Amino acid sequence: MTAVRPDSVIDLHTHSLCSDGREPPATVVREAARAGVDVMALTDHDVVTGWAEADAAGRELGVCVVPGVEVSCSWRGVSVHLLAYLPDPQDQALRGELEASRASRETRLLRMVDLLAADGYPVSAEEVLELAGPGATLGRPHIADVLVRNGVFPVRDRAFESVLAADGPYYVSHYAPSPVRATELVLAAGGVPVMAHPFASARGRVVPDGVVEEMADAGLAGLEVDHRDHGPHEREHAARLASRLGLLRTGSSDYHGSGKPNRLAENTTRPQVLEQIIAAGTGHRLLGAGLRPG
Ligand code: AMP
Ligand code: FE
Ligand code: FE
Ligand code: ZN
């Protein structure tokens, strides 16, 4: 088993410009180094295009970069996020599902922009696509950024509280696989599935415990218990459920650069947990700095 130094600072959830973060992958890694992070995972939404750049930066800066992806899922209209560590990026079934979500996110984004523009909000598809940049997994944060730039809101967060809210009149959903299907796909691709912020009710509706149980039956490896979007009760609930279902407990920042207040390493994962994730991941070899073979 790969041994991870016991004093390692480990942050397993970050985003770059490849999805809805605000910095290129190399900058995320540089910021992680500055924050004292030894091991970070790059987990852009539904895309793995940032891995190579992040890995190269990690080698230069002595940060071990765990390749990951945050898979969009949907359960009866409730948005669920599944972190996948070390999946085979060439796996056809997983790739197909990520591409289907990404394509649907584009159609959905254009619809949301149309609805907003029709009500007089200063936003256009051209501006949003230009701001997101080519190839980025599109999401509501990109619409928020244009509304911020055009002076409607001071920060992304305010846009989410009003016009971008999931229960608001401008919200349009997009295609995403079920959480159980996504868990199976990640496992089949040799990845390690960990459910992101499972009970973050401040973001919108969350799934009942039964869905997490079904995911555990399908091979879910862990729950992201320590996340800023969990209140104390939600953390406690997630921790109990993880221990009852025999799941690993992870913690991370969900860093999005300046797009969110989340700071790198504000929540972290224990080295023993990372060792188990690395041992379980067979889809992609981890070659980065900061780890030593056991
Ligand atoms: P979408 O995937 O398009 O439905 O948008 C969800 C994304 O928006 C999440 O991945 C978060 O990064 C981001 N997000 C959710 N709530 C907020 C918020 N209050 N402020 C800033 N970003 C948010
Ligand atoms: Fe995000
Ligand atoms: Fe998420
Ligand atoms: Zn995330």
Side-chain angles (χ1 to χ4, degrees), residues 13 15 45 70 254 256:
H13 187 166
H15 294 267
H45 299 284
E70 186 171 13
D254 205 354
H256 282 69

Side-chain angles (χ1 to χ4, degrees), residues 121-136:
Y121 286 95
V123 58
S124 69
E126 291 70 32
E127 278 175 290
V128 178
L129 295 175
E130 206 253 342
L131 178 139

Side-chain angles (χ1 to χ4, degrees), residues 29-237:
V29 178
R30 198 174 318 125
E31 291 299 317
R34 272 167 40 131
V37 170
D38 300 297
V39 183
M40 61 159 267
L42 184 72
T43 54
D44 277 304
H45 299 284
D46 303 321
V47 82
V48 301
T49 44
W51 287 9
E53 181 182 319
D55 188 63
R59 285 156 197 276
E60 208 177 295
L61 299 164
V63 174
C64 171
V65 176
V66 177
V69 56
E70 186 171 13
V71 182
S72 303
C73 312
S74 178
W75 181 83
R76 300 189 189 174
V78 178
S79 163
V80 174
H81 287 172
L82 183 69
L83 294 162
Y85 300 111
L86 298 160
D88 175 1
Q90 304 301 337
D91 182 88
Q92 287 304 315
L94 180 59
R95 275 175 75 131
E97 217 48 9
L98 297 179
E99 271 315 313
S101 291
R102 280 164 45 80
S104 171
R105 278 171 166 283
E106 177 162 359
T107 320
R108 168 272 197 142
L109 180 121
L110 299 178
R111 284 213 195 108
M112 287 188 69
V113 167
D114 278 349
L115 291 171
L116 286 160
D119 260 3
Y121 286 95
V123 58
S124 69
E126 291 70 32
E127 278 175 290
V128 178
L129 295 175
E130 206 253 342
L131 178 139
T137 298
L138 300 168
R140 284 177 286 161
H142 299 113
I143 303 177
D145 285 348
V146 168
L147 293 171
V148 168
R149 194 171 67 191
N150 292 341
V152 183
F153 299 102
V155 287
R156 269 186 187 179
D157 204 37
R158 291 288 103 73
F160 272 87
E161 282 167 8
S162 69
V163 295
L164 298 180
D167 56 0
Y170 304 106
Y171 185 81
V172 177
S173 62
H174 61 83
Y175 167 79
S178 78
V180 166
R181 168 91 181 118
T183 302
E184 292 166 350
L185 281 169
V186 168
L187 285 172
V192 184
V194 172
M195 190 178 181
H197 42 72
F199 301 116
S201 60
R203 291 168 163 255
R205 288 190 295 146
V206 299
V207 297
D209 288 3
V211 173
V212 183
E213 283 163 19
E214 283 175 32
M215 292 167 76
D217 288 343
L220 184 70
L223 288 187
E224 189 184 49
V225 172
D226 300 298
H227 186 287
R228 76 147 58 203
D229 292 349
H230 282 160
H233 292 105
E234 292 163 340
R235 236 179 240 234
E236 175 68 22
H237 180 75

